[in-house]
Amino acid sequence: MADTYDYDLFTIGAGSGGVRASRVASAHGAKVAVAEEYRVGGTCVIRGCVPKKMLVYGAHFAEDLEDAQNFGWTIEGKRFDWVKLRDNVQTDIDRLEGLYGETLANHDVEIYRERAQITGDHEITLASGKVVTAKYILVATGARPTLLDFPGAEHAITSNEAFHLDALPKRVMIAGGGYIANEFAGIFNEFGSKVCLVNRGDQLLRGYDESLRDRLLQISLMKGINFHFNTTFKQITKNDDGSFHVELNGADDMDVDLVMFATGRSPNTQGLGLETIGLELGDKGEIKVDQYSQTNVDYVYAVGDVTDRVQLTPVAIREGQAFSDSVFGDGEPRAVDHSCIPSAVFSHPPIAAVGMTEGEARNKIGNIRVYQSDFRSMKNVVAGRNERSLYKMIVNAATDQIVGIHMIGAEAPEIMQAAAIAVKAGLTKADFDATTAIHPTMAEELVLFK
Ligand code: NDP
């Protein structure tokens, strides 16, 4: 291809969606280039899912080392070294970034490590001033943390900076009640910081099943995390000792060492020249696409967080793959199925879910059966840890089909990945009942619901 254009495909953004789309397009025979202004790998690899999960592992040792005592272990002189963990995590992120770059290079994808902007029809101008043309353009620029706007808001950090802190803050205030807020509340709390979460509404983790959200709140409170609901920010001022004085609407003023915003992520569509070709954006600045990730400009596509469909890495990867298979493969258009996507929150303990919540199922189906198992794991019993897991199964009473599974407890995301196959495949409660338990496990609760 690429006879009248420099490239068949020019991808803007080398994150999860952009990298997958670029290498697959190239494997289909297209001449591909990708531009990345920051680091190859994108949010997930560089400052999202991957380093976060490493911190979650690190944080969990706090409880494991405590629990170990009832299992007969004496651990003397235990001490946590944040700088050591931080640096080890960053070393591995460097390694992964290298691997992503290698993957692109091995697929003959040309990488421009600079910002790119659309400057005309099929035309992209790089920060260096170089102008290139492409038959197709893929925008995969992801999203960035949404910042709140009030006096002193500039003193707050976001998850982007949380991975690079010089030292662990003694007192942390986190704004938001979603994924990042709950995950980092757990991380900082396990490391010994005093954590307080400030949420504008009265609900955590909107979209997740209410029983699980309540359970996470109870357990988080028990672990010592504070919550202020229906509370907003008035002002942050810096104290002489470097800490911050936070004034709130709905709660007393507080002095903390770190304020972190975890208040959603906004699509990265500014400064990309999208208006020069009349690309249509939605209310949140997201690129509007159809089921094939095609925009209103027929040669421009967009995948991943910049489209604000489902802000999850595996979804962006699927969208990137489908785009390249559709456009550069056999010509058969492929839409990504956005239904029944399993998800997890890596809180302490984690939550995992697939399908409808009980509330959704009651509204949409009406006639449902709800199975629930509320149990203390064998490990927690011996450890003397008063922390109960909760598993829920939602079944369409008319068809016996399982329409949702929801879990909070150790390893819930690991267990959910397999259970989600069954829900996606439309299996029934009877299918689960017909499966013999693996004993003793926590997961066996899934086939023992009565
Ligand atoms: P979430 O959408 O999960 O949560 C945002 C939180 O911020 C909500 O509590 C929301 O409140 C609140 N909020 C939004 N706007 C404001 C505002 N103007 N003022 C005060 N509070 C506000 O976003 P996150 O930032 O936690 O994460 C971004 C996305 O990244 C997630 O939606 C998810 O898709 C992805 N992600 C996935 C992870 C995973 O898979 N484990 C981990 C981390 C992120 P309200 O409920 O009232 O709207």
Side-chain angles (χ1 to χ4, degrees):
M1 280 197 244
D3 36 7
T4 50
Y5 299 102
D6 297 320
Y7 298 102
D8 298 310
L9 173 65
F10 195 99
T11 303
I12 308 179
S16 302
V19 167
R20 173 60 67 95
S22 300
R23 76 164 169 82
V24 170
S26 186
H28 282 307
K31 187 176 179 203
V32 185
V34 59
E36 172 56 56
E37 66 173 343
Y38 185 54
R39 293 177 67 181
V40 172
T43 299
C44 174
V45 177
I46 305 296
R47 48 192 178 188
C49 331
V50 174
K52 180 275 310 287
K53 185 71 185 280
M54 292 174 186
L55 294 188
V56 169
Y57 278 130
H60 216 280
F61 279 102
E63 291 184 2
D64 288 343
L65 292 173
E66 210 174 275
D67 294 352
Q69 295 174 48
N70 273 6
F71 287 88
W73 294 90
T74 301
I75 297 144
E76 280 160 9
K78 67 175 176 169
R79 197 174 68 81
F80 174 64
D81 183 343
W82 159 254
V83 171
K84 186 169 188 174
L85 175 62
R86 181 198 67 189
D87 292 351
N88 284 345
V89 168
Q90 289 309 315
T91 301
D92 208 52
I93 298 310
D94 292 345
R95 183 185 67 84
L96 290 170
E97 182 186 10
L99 288 179
Y100 269 71
E102 267 175 42
T103 301
L104 288 171
N106 290 342
H107 283 83
D108 295 324
V109 175
E110 203 170 330
I111 310 175
Y112 291 97
R113 295 181 185 270
E114 55 190 307
R115 192 169 169 81
Q117 207 179 326
I118 298 175
T119 42
D121 254 346
H122 297 273
E123 183 190 274
I124 298 112
T125 301
L126 293 146
S128 60
K130 184 180 165 96
V131 178
V132 298
T133 58
K135 186 169 181 192
Y136 293 99
I137 295 174
L138 178 69
V139 185
T141 46
R144 64 186 186 287
T146 308
L147 303 177
L148 300 183
D149 186 17
F150 59 84
E154 70 278 7
H155 294 305
I157 66 157
T158 68
S159 53
N160 285 350
E161 293 78 39
F163 298 106
H164 303 281
L165 296 174
D166 291 335
L168 262 187
K170 286 201 172 65
R171 299 159 299 177
V172 183
M173 179 180 283
I174 303 178
Y179 281 83
I180 297 177
N182 283 286
E183 292 182 340
F184 272 92
I187 289 168
F188 282 125
N189 181 59
E190 298 290 325
F191 288 154
S193 302
K194 185 75 201 141
V195 179
C196 145
L197 203 141
V198 171
N199 193 29
R200 68 173 173 187
D202 59 2
Q203 285 183 4
L204 296 176
L205 292 167
R206 200 143 46 87
Y208 278 89
D209 191 274
E210 202 175 333
S211 322
L212 272 75
R213 295 195 265 127
D214 284 352
R215 180 59 52 91
L216 179 64
L217 175 61
Q218 282 169 24
I219 296 176
S220 300
L221 285 166
M222 219 164 56
K223 288 185 194 293
I225 299 172
N226 284 328
F227 291 82
H228 291 289
F229 291 105
N230 301 311
T231 303
T232 55
F233 285 77
K234 216 187 275 178
Q235 177 163 294
I236 304 177
T237 44
K238 196 162 185 176
N239 295 325
D240 291 341
D241 64 358
S243 65
F244 300 102
H245 184 72
V246 187
E247 292 171 54
L248 301 163
N249 301 302
D252 292 340
D253 293 6
M254 233 178 285
D255 285 302
V256 296
D257 303 296
L258 182 82
V259 182
M260 175 171 146
F261 291 160
T263 44
R265 297 179 61 84
S266 312
N268 280 326
T269 44
Q270 282 167 356
L272 289 175
L274 304 180
E275 62 290 346
T276 58
I277 51 166
L279 209 79
E280 229 178 282
L281 302 183
D283 295 343
K284 290 190 200 156
E286 78 278 15
I287 298 182
K288 284 180 151 183
V289 288
D290 68 10
Q291 57 181 329
Y292 305 111
S293 299
Q294 191 171 25
T295 69
N296 63 312
V297 178
D298 64 352
Y299 66 90
V300 181
Y301 289 71
V303 296
D305 288 1
V306 76
T307 65
D308 200 28
R309 284 176 282 186
V310 181
Q311 289 186 330
L312 295 176
T313 299
V315 177
I317 290 173
R318 282 177 167 254
E319 289 167 0
Q321 175 89 39
F323 154 73
S324 286
D325 283 343
S326 303
V327 175
F328 301 103
D330 56 14
E332 190 65 35
R334 289 165 179 79
V336 170
D337 177 4
H338 288 104
S339 69
C340 212
I341 294 172
S343 63
V345 187
F346 293 95
S347 42
H348 279 79
I351 284 178
V354 67
M356 287 186 230
T357 63
E358 180 179 347
E360 272 169 342
R362 286 204 189 284
N363 286 336
K364 287 188 187 148
I365 300 172
N367 187 15
I368 58 167
R369 295 196 307 265
V370 178
Y371 298 91
Q372 195 160 305
S373 177
D374 187 338
F375 62 98
R376 188 145 78 116
S377 69
M378 191 188 278
K379 183 168 176 244
N380 280 350
V381 172
V382 177
R385 183 170 289 284
N386 185 21
E387 192 176 304
R388 298 180 71 82
S389 300
L390 182 65
Y391 289 9
K392 257 175 107 166
M393 180 182 276
I394 320 291
V395 176
N396 182 332
T399 61
D400 198 43
Q401 193 180 333
I402 300 166
V403 294
I405 297 182
H406 309 275
M407 298 192 273
I408 178 166
E411 309 299 350
E414 300 289 344
I415 299 166
M416 180 57 81
Q417 184 66 80
I421 302 169
V423 179
K424 181 73 180 161
L427 297 194
T428 60
K429 171 74 166 61
D431 291 319
F432 271 55
D433 292 345
T435 306
T436 304
I438 301 175
H439 185 69
T441 60
M442 291 185 290
E444 69 181 309
E445 298 298 323
L446 289 175
V447 297
L448 297 174
F449 280 124
K450 289 280 176 291

